[in-house]
Structure formats: C-alpha cells, structure tokens
Amino acid sequence: MTSLALAAGIEPDEILDGLGLPLGTMDLCDGKIGRLNAEDLRSLGSRLASILARHASLAEGRMPIRPPDWRVLLYSLLSGRTLRDAILHGGDACEAIDGRCGRMTLRENGAIGEVRLDSLRPGSTLTGCAVDLNGVASIHGLCSWLLGQSLPLRSIHLAYDEDMFDRLDLGGLPYPVVLSAAWTGFSFPATWLDHPVVRSASELPTRQTQSFLFDVGSEIGVLPLAEQVRRLTIQALRLHHRLPSFAEVSARLGRSVPTLRRHLAMGGSSYRSIKASCRRELGLELLRQGHLSIEDIAARLDFCDSDAFRIAFRGWFGKSPNMYRLEAHRAEAATCGLAAVPVNR
C-alpha cells in the first residue's frame, strides 16, 4: 500500500506525521520498511489505509469517513450481546450515517456466516481494491476483538479480479481468497454468531488494531483487567469444570476482592457477567462436539444440575440446548460438501 499511496501523489510527510516510526521519508520512498516491528507495521498500515480511503472518497465526489462516523460504528458493535447482534447493529449504524462507512450486512447460509461489505464505490480501481481489502481486515479484526479471540476465517471475498489483486503485491494472504466474487467481505463458521461479546466501551482507548494484513491476531501490551479475569475463569472451567470463586481470582491477580470488584465496575463489567459469558462460550463449544449429553455439559459448566443449565441456555438464546444442537447439525448436514472451495492464494 505504500507504493500505491505514493503513486497517488500522497506526500511521505503526510503518511509519517505523528506516527513516531524509526523511518524517514527517503526510507518510505525506497520501500525500506522491512525493519519495522509488527506494532509499527500495523500503525503504518492503518495510516495508509485511512489516507487512501479519504483520497478515494474525495476523488469519487463523496464525503470521507469522519471520526464521529467511526465512533458510531464502534459503539453500535459494542451494544450487541452476541456477535450476531453486533454485526446487525453495525449494519444499522452504517445506514444511519448515510453510507459514509458503506453498508454491512449479515448472511447465514446454513453452517456458514457471511459479513458482506459494500463500500458503495462507483467503479473498480486499484486504490478501491486496497481500501476495500483493508476494510474487510478491519471489520474482521473488530469482530475478533469483540469476542476476545480470533474469529476463524473460512474465506475472504473480493469483488475485484485477479489482475487487480495481484497488482497490490501482498505476497499472499493466510486465508483462501475468492476473487471476482459477487460481494466483498468474509465468511466464517456460523456457530460463532452465538458467541458473546466480551468487550465494553471502556476498553476502546486501549484497543489494539487487529488485521490479517498485518500480523494476524497478535496482542500487544497488558490485557485489560476484565479480559484477565475472563481468561482465568474460562481456563478453570475447561480444565477443572468449576468456576473459581471471586476471592480465588482476586488472589491470582494479586488484588483484593474490593479493589478488583471496583475496577471491574469502573470498566462496566462484573464477575457475574464474566462467568455467564464464559459459560455461554464453552457451552456452545461443547454442544457442537455432539458426543456429550446435556447432563455432562451442565456438569462441565459447573451448574448444579441439567435443569439449571437448560433454564440459563434458554435465557441466553431463546431455545433449549437440544434444539440448538439439532438446528446446528441440520445446518451442517445441509451444507456439507456443497460449498465451493476457493483457490488458496
């Protein structure tokens, strides 16, 4: 994207201004960015994508995306209880800001979920291809951040041809790419749509950019406190089939119970909500495995009995665990062997 930005007449100083990278304008012009670490590459990639998107919008006679537009989208995604809710709310936000972020729609095709992104571009250009691909990576990274773990990708779809994609000279992506597709976006296992959103608005200032274009799935710096609590809790459920007490979690993190409770509340979270989130996530995973009975799953989630699990599950998803499992198996059977396998690029 660096060479594309320079070819578009964007000045190196505009790209590097304020980033604080160990890189001069001549280094950028000569393509000498290989010594940058993953965090610096993400910063540079994010800046390039933002500048290219602004220039593309202006060239097309459209208003560029403004910081408030982006914040509306972020807060809408965070308002979802599950990934499905988040994507649907994000689509509503795109409509509410008059398409300045394009359109986002969710499609469920049996066992496959699809996030379709339409940038509303009037034509097909190399800059548009680069900006749209970065948009796909950014939305996928946001979905992963919302879940607290990387959302598995099945394929990336681009409504651009092979020649234009090759001109980006990306050196290959770690996922199958479907080119000349009828839509732009990405697909993933639909069962992930029921996974809970574990992030809150208070974590936005410390959010690290995630993108499969720049060092997929890495996390820099200390995890937010709520995420540390969540990881300890779900690890205990997985390994020992029990929820640790709040006092145990506090001791593991080296904090007193009142201090940890206060910090979670300041971040808009609580140990009760974190426990429910962990039980939902692991419960869906165990149901998909198919070989465990409802009674076994209830025990592994540290419910007092299977009836308590059934009541909780119906409250989360509006259906019984058996009904969820039956619908998931039917969807997988309906699509098994029918989906075209894209060429691995």
Side-chain angles (χ1 to χ4, degrees):
M1 274 196 290
T2 305
S3 58
L4 182 59
L6 295 174
I10 299 170
E11 294 295 329
D13 288 338
E14 181 183 355
I15 298 172
L16 296 175
D17 184 42
L19 285 182
L21 301 181
L23 205 66
T25 56
M26 291 305 299
D27 295 323
L28 193 67
C29 292
D30 294 338
K32 297 178 180 179
I33 63 173
R35 68 173 180 266
L36 295 179
N37 60 34
E39 185 175 6
D40 288 342
L41 276 174
R42 277 195 297 274
S43 297
L44 178 60
S46 179
R47 172 65 62 82
L48 285 166
S50 176
I51 293 174
L52 282 171
R54 186 172 67 250
H55 278 251
S57 294
L58 291 173
E60 294 160 0
R62 300 192 303 166
M63 182 181 289
I65 298 173
R66 305 165 303 178
D69 298 330
W70 185 242
R71 288 196 293 271
V72 167
L73 177 59
L74 287 173
Y75 285 123
S76 296
L77 291 168
L78 279 164
S79 69
R81 187 171 57 110
T82 64
L83 180 61
R84 177 185 286 102
D85 294 339
I87 296 170
L88 293 174
H89 293 178
D92 290 341
C94 290
E95 293 289 340
I97 55 179
D98 300 324
R100 280 189 292 274
C101 291
R103 292 197 183 105
M104 177 165 59
T105 56
L106 173 65
R107 296 288 183 89
E108 295 183 59
N109 295 321
I112 306 301
E114 298 171 350
V115 173
R116 299 190 176 193
L117 304 169
D118 184 354
S119 57
L120 303 177
R121 301 194 185 285
S124 180
T125 65
L126 185 60
T127 298
C129 181
V131 172
D132 286 358
L133 178 58
N134 183 76
V136 173
S138 296
I139 295 301
H140 171 260
L142 269 173
C143 289
S144 296
W145 178 76
L146 291 171
L147 299 175
Q149 56 186 313
S150 182
L151 174 64
L153 274 175
R154 182 178 178 273
S155 58
I156 300 162
H157 292 243
L158 289 174
Y160 294 87
D161 61 30
E162 183 175 350
D163 177 66
M164 192 166 289
F165 179 80
D166 287 343
R167 287 168 62 193
L168 294 178
D169 194 24
L170 297 173
L173 294 177
Y175 302 103
V177 180
V178 180
L179 297 170
S180 298
W183 52 278
T184 291
F186 58 90
S187 69
F188 56 96
T191 48
W192 282 75
L193 289 168
D194 291 319
H195 278 235
V197 170
V198 301
R199 301 294 189 179
S200 64
S202 64
E203 297 176 77
L204 280 175
T206 59
R207 181 180 71 89
Q208 295 291 333
T209 301
Q210 292 177 252
S211 168
F212 55 67
L213 294 176
F214 311 102
D215 192 24
V216 180
S218 64
E219 292 190 53
I220 307 297
V222 179
L223 288 170
L225 191 58
E227 180 63 16
Q228 295 180 51
V229 173
R230 179 183 170 279
R231 292 195 178 193
L232 286 174
T233 304
I234 200 165
Q235 182 182 45
L237 267 183
R238 287 185 188 280
L239 297 179
H240 308 298
H241 307 159
R242 61 176 291 270
L243 288 166
S245 68
F246 193 51
E248 290 174 313
V249 172
S250 301
R252 285 285 303 275
L253 295 177
R255 299 169 185 262
S256 69
V257 168
T259 297
L260 182 57
R261 182 177 290 113
R262 183 173 64 255
H263 279 286
L264 288 178
M266 289 170 59
S269 185
S270 69
Y271 189 45
R272 179 178 180 179
S273 66
I274 290 172
K275 288 190 296 183
S277 171
C278 292
R279 277 173 156 169
R280 288 198 301 269
E281 178 179 329
L282 187 55
L284 291 174
E285 181 181 315
L286 295 175
L287 278 169
R288 290 196 301 269
Q289 292 177 7
H291 65 279
L292 293 174
S293 68
I294 299 302
E295 287 71 20
D296 289 335
I297 294 174
R300 291 192 180 207
L301 298 180
D302 200 16
F303 281 99
C304 59
D305 55 38
S306 59
D307 286 340
F309 171 52
R310 289 186 176 93
I311 291 171
F313 194 92
R314 189 175 290 278
W316 296 332
F317 304 111
K319 63 186 71 173
S320 70
N322 278 326
M323 180 58 69
Y324 177 89
R325 173 181 275 172
L326 180 61
E327 290 176 355
H329 286 175
R330 283 176 176 169
E332 290 173 6
T335 58
C336 183
L338 297 181
V341 179
V343 177
N344 226 336
R345 296 188 56 84

